[in-house]
Amino acid sequence: GFDASEDISRAEYAYSRLIGMLRSGELRAGQRLREVDLAERLGVSRTPVREALRRISSEGLVEILPGRGLVVASYDKQQVRELYALRGMLEGAAAHFAARHASEAELGMMREMLERSI
Protein backbone atom coordinates (compact mmCIF):
# COMPACT_ATOMS: atom_id res chain seq x y z
CA GLY A 1 0.00 0.00 0.00
CA PHE A 2 0.87 3.67 -0.13
CA ASP A 3 3.05 4.87 2.71
CA ALA A 4 3.82 8.61 2.85
CA SER A 5 6.77 8.12 5.22
CA GLU A 6 8.39 5.74 2.70
CA ASP A 7 8.05 8.40 -0.01
CA ILE A 8 9.60 10.98 2.30
CA SER A 9 12.52 8.71 3.16
CA ARG A 10 13.04 7.87 -0.53
CA ALA A 11 13.07 11.60 -1.36
CA GLU A 12 15.54 12.15 1.51
CA TYR A 13 17.68 9.28 0.20
CA ALA A 14 17.59 10.69 -3.36
CA TYR A 15 18.46 14.16 -2.02
CA SER A 16 21.47 12.97 -0.02
CA ARG A 17 22.74 10.78 -2.87
CA LEU A 18 22.39 13.62 -5.41
CA ILE A 19 24.13 16.08 -3.07
CA GLY A 20 26.94 13.52 -2.67
CA MET A 21 27.19 13.13 -6.45
CA LEU A 22 27.36 16.92 -6.86
CA ARG A 23 30.04 17.27 -4.16
CA SER A 24 32.16 14.42 -5.53
CA GLY A 25 31.99 15.77 -9.07
CA GLU A 26 30.16 12.68 -10.32
CA LEU A 27 27.57 15.18 -11.57
CA ARG A 28 29.50 17.97 -13.30
CA ALA A 29 28.73 21.65 -13.82
CA GLY A 30 26.64 22.14 -16.96
CA GLN A 31 25.60 18.48 -17.06
CA ARG A 32 21.95 17.93 -18.02
CA LEU A 33 19.90 16.09 -15.40
CA ARG A 34 17.06 13.82 -16.48
CA GLU A 35 14.70 12.47 -13.82
CA VAL A 36 14.38 9.11 -15.53
CA ASP A 37 18.17 8.59 -15.72
CA LEU A 38 18.74 9.65 -12.11
CA ALA A 39 15.86 7.47 -10.87
CA GLU A 40 17.39 4.47 -12.63
CA ARG A 41 20.85 5.26 -11.23
CA LEU A 42 19.53 5.58 -7.67
CA GLY A 43 17.11 2.66 -7.90
CA VAL A 44 14.04 4.72 -6.96
CA SER A 45 11.00 6.00 -8.87
CA ARG A 46 10.89 9.43 -10.49
CA THR A 47 8.75 10.96 -7.71
CA PRO A 48 11.46 11.06 -4.99
CA VAL A 49 14.00 12.21 -7.60
CA ARG A 50 11.66 15.03 -8.66
CA GLU A 51 11.21 16.06 -5.02
CA ALA A 52 14.98 15.94 -4.39
CA LEU A 53 15.71 17.97 -7.53
CA ARG A 54 13.11 20.57 -6.50
CA ARG A 55 14.88 20.93 -3.15
CA ILE A 56 18.35 21.07 -4.75
CA SER A 57 17.06 23.63 -7.26
CA SER A 58 15.76 25.83 -4.42
CA GLU A 59 19.28 25.69 -2.95
CA GLY A 60 20.67 26.98 -6.26
CA LEU A 61 22.73 23.88 -7.03
CA VAL A 62 20.89 23.09 -10.26
CA GLU A 63 19.28 25.52 -12.66
CA ILE A 64 16.68 25.42 -15.41
CA LEU A 65 18.07 26.49 -18.77
CA PRO A 66 15.76 27.23 -21.72
CA GLY A 67 15.90 24.40 -24.23
CA ARG A 68 18.16 22.26 -22.01
CA GLY A 69 16.04 21.60 -18.97
CA LEU A 70 17.64 21.01 -15.59
CA VAL A 71 21.43 21.31 -15.45
CA VAL A 72 24.04 21.33 -12.69
CA ALA A 73 24.82 24.95 -11.82
CA SER A 74 28.39 26.12 -12.23
CA TYR A 75 29.98 28.19 -9.49
CA ASP A 76 33.50 29.34 -8.79
CA LYS A 77 35.18 28.44 -5.47
CA GLN A 78 34.35 31.79 -3.87
CA GLN A 79 30.64 31.46 -4.74
CA VAL A 80 30.59 27.95 -3.27
CA ARG A 81 32.19 29.18 -0.04
CA GLU A 82 29.65 32.01 0.20
CA LEU A 83 26.76 29.62 -0.50
CA TYR A 84 27.81 27.24 2.30
CA ALA A 85 28.45 30.13 4.72
CA LEU A 86 24.98 31.53 3.99
CA ARG A 87 23.38 28.10 4.30
CA GLY A 88 25.11 27.59 7.68
CA MET A 89 23.76 30.91 8.97
CA LEU A 90 20.24 30.19 7.68
CA GLU A 91 20.15 26.69 9.16
CA GLY A 92 21.41 27.99 12.51
CA ALA A 93 18.80 30.76 12.52
CA ALA A 94 16.05 28.31 11.53
CA ALA A 95 17.02 25.90 14.33
CA HIS A 96 17.12 28.79 16.84
CA PHE A 97 13.69 30.02 15.71
CA ALA A 98 12.20 26.50 15.80
CA ALA A 99 13.58 25.87 19.30
CA ARG A 100 12.26 29.19 20.66
CA HIS A 101 8.78 28.68 19.21
CA ALA A 102 8.30 24.92 19.52
CA SER A 103 5.09 23.71 21.11
CA GLU A 104 5.13 21.18 23.94
CA ALA A 105 3.98 18.48 21.47
CA GLU A 106 6.82 19.35 19.04
CA LEU A 107 9.37 19.28 21.87
CA GLY A 108 8.06 15.85 22.92
CA MET A 109 8.35 14.59 19.35
CA MET A 110 11.94 15.90 19.11
CA ARG A 111 12.87 14.22 22.42
CA GLU A 112 11.39 10.95 21.14
CA MET A 113 13.32 11.20 17.86
CA LEU A 114 16.53 11.98 19.73
CA GLU A 115 16.09 9.01 22.07
CA ARG A 116 15.47 6.68 19.11
CA SER A 117 18.64 7.88 17.38
CA ILE A 118 20.93 7.22 20.38
Side-chain angles (χ1 to χ4, degrees), residues 18 21-23 25-34 38 41 53 56 60-65 68-75:
L18 290 171
M21 292 161 82
L22 287 164
R23 284 189 180 144
E26 193 178 333
L27 296 175
R28 298 172 311 285
Q31 181 177 343
R32 185 164 177 241
L33 300 174
R34 293 182 58 227
L38 293 171
R41 237 163 130 174
L53 287 172
I56 291 168
L61 299 173
V62 297
E63 53 194 350
I64 299 167
L65 294 184
R68 290 213 47 221
L70 215 51
V71 296
V72 178
S74 44
Y75 295 104

Side-chain angles (χ1 to χ4, degrees), residues 76-103:
D76 62 34
K77 282 194 168 102
Q78 183 57 34
Q79 286 173 308
V80 170
R81 276 195 285 274
E82 289 170 9
L83 200 63
Y84 277 100
L86 179 63
R87 185 174 169 182
M89 290 189 310
L90 289 172
E91 287 176 358
H96 175 76
F97 184 80
R100 295 274 311 265
H101 298 88
S103 69

